[in-house]
Amino acid sequence: MNFLAVEKNASNNTIAAYRNDLSQFLGFVAEQAPGRAIEAIKHELIVGYVEHLRNGAHYKDATVARKVAAVKSFYGFLAAEGMVDGDPTEQLKSPQVGKTLPGALCARSR
């Protein structure tokens, strides 16, 4: 969180969302693989987390994409800091989020 605040100059809302997303991920890991160290988490467990978000928790694709981005960013940070040997999120695919026109533009086209 300090890295986001100091190095990335992230807003308080961004940091809060990131903290929430990582807490949810770590809660899932604690439930599925109790006692597993963060550096021992494998790609398959993370894929299971993404499936849980999509199917079990029924989040929309945009929310799943944000949560996946938080986990990927976290592991990227850990890898850059030498805290993990590899990045288990390297091949992780995020849901594609469709783009929509703003409501004001949609109303004018009618």
Side-chain angles (χ1 to χ4, degrees), residues 1 9 16 85 87 98 102 105 107-108:
M1 300 307 143
N9 198 27
D85 288 332
D87 183 352
L105 291 177
R108 285 186 166 170

Side-chain angles (χ1 to χ4, degrees), residues 2-3 6 9 21 69 72-73 93 106-107 110:
N2 288 337
F3 176 78
V6 175
N9 198 27
D21 292 343
K72 288 179 78 142
S73 177
K93 300 236 186 290
C106 289
R110 291 183 193 166

Side-chain angles (χ1 to χ4, degrees), residues 45-69:
L45 183 58
I46 299 170
V47 168
Y49 173 65
V50 175
E51 289 302 315
H52 164 73
L53 293 174
R54 286 178 139 169
N55 302 323
H58 303 291
Y59 285 110
K60 293 187 179 192
D61 284 346
T63 303
V64 174
R66 190 196 74 227
K67 291 178 181 295
V68 167

